[in-house]
Amino acid sequence: EAGVAQSPRYKIIEKRQSVAFWCNPISGHATLYWYQQILGQGPKLLIQFQNNGVVDDSQLPKDRFSAERLKGVDSTLKIQPAKLEDSAVYLCASSFSRDGYTFGSGTRLTVV
Amino acid sequence: GNSVTQMEGPVTLSEEAFLTINCTYTATGYPSLFWYVQYPGEGLQLLLKATKADDKGSNKGFEATYRKETTSFHLEKGSVQVSDSAVYFCALSENEGTYKYIFGTGTRLKVLA
């Protein structure tokens, strides 16, 4: 089966600019996650979707981050405006059940 | 709240050495436990998992046993290879609510030829 697709792979922006990331999960996976992985740290959940509804966004900085999952398939994560501390790898994952995510390769964001 | 603690890295070993990476967790209830591996420039890949106490997960020569009494899930491999060089993450999945994953900080393994 095809994996979780993410784009772009890399992005460099200046602080206060906006950026968007895209994720296409594995077909049939109802649950989709966005994680933020800062260098040297483990991934931290930003938001979890079940189909096109938000299940958990308790750690999403809602003043600057937003995410949507239209039609319960693809998802986009947006940051506006970006800060230096947003530099990280943004990982998308999807799952059919709770016993194992499949991760995409991630988008490495550098804010300068 | 729930948490995962991993041993600090980096861990540097010679090829064919024995590997142990310690992982302990704090959780209410009975979480599922996982090890993920991240090779340079790639995303996280599921290495192995265990869903209940005393289960042993294994894959590619790696294994880990779910020890409820010590709240541990240590990763072991009898003979590492250079190709095992990567970052290893221990994680738990909460068994209720959103079933979200909580990851440890990762342990970098470097295997020298």
Side-chain angles (χ1 to χ4, degrees), chain B:
Chain B
N2 296 346
S3 65
V4 174
T5 302
Q6 287 182 239
M7 63 186 289
E8 293 274 338
V11 174
T12 303
L13 296 173
S14 297
E15 206 165 24
E16 298 183 4
F18 185 85
L19 168 70
T20 300
I21 299 178
N22 290 338
C23 171
T24 57
Y25 67 91
T26 301
T28 55
Y30 303 94
S32 294
L33 301 174
F34 305 85
W35 278 100
Y36 277 82
V37 59
Q38 188 172 36
Y39 298 102
E42 298 185 15
L44 281 82
Q45 302 174 26
L46 177 64
L47 181 59
L48 54 84
K49 66 181 182 184
T51 58
K52 61 183 187 296
D54 300 324
D55 268 3
K56 177 184 284 188
S58 62
N59 186 26
K60 299 181 181 179
F62 291 89
E63 58 182 36
T65 301
Y66 189 140
R67 301 287 189 198
K68 191 173 186 306
E69 64 276 12
T70 54
T71 62
S72 65
F73 193 55
H74 304 320
L75 183 68
E76 297 181 336
K77 187 175 185 182
S79 176
V80 294
Q81 305 300 312
V82 172
S83 56
D84 294 326
S85 298
V87 181
Y88 293 81
F89 291 91
C90 185
L92 68 82
S93 170
E94 300 176 340
N95 269 8
E96 56 187 9
T98 63
Y99 301 106
K100 70 181 181 185
Y101 281 29
I102 295 171
F103 285 86
T105 54
T107 302
R108 181 174 299 279
L109 170 66
K110 185 174 182 180
V111 181
L112 304 176

Side-chain angles (χ1 to χ4, degrees), chain A residues 5-13 17-24 32-37 46-47 49 60 64-69 74-80 82-83 86-92 106-111:
Chain A
Q6 288 189 249
S7 67
R9 284 298 307 272
Y10 306 93
K11 191 73 176 179
I12 301 174
I13 62 172
Q17 286 188 322
S18 63
V19 64
F21 313 126
W22 173 82
C23 172
N24 179 241
L32 183 148
Y33 313 81
W34 283 102
Y35 278 80
Q36 179 192 57
Q37 186 179 13
L46 292 176
I47 189 166
F49 292 94
L60 186 74
R64 298 183 301 105
F65 285 65
S66 64
E68 61 181 6
R69 189 182 185 195
D74 292 6
S75 178
T76 55
L77 176 70
K78 297 179 181 178
I79 308 175
Q80 182 180 11
K83 293 185 175 181
D86 298 332
S87 294
V89 176
Y90 291 85
L91 296 165
C92 180
T107 296
R108 182 176 299 277
L109 173 67
T110 303
V111 182

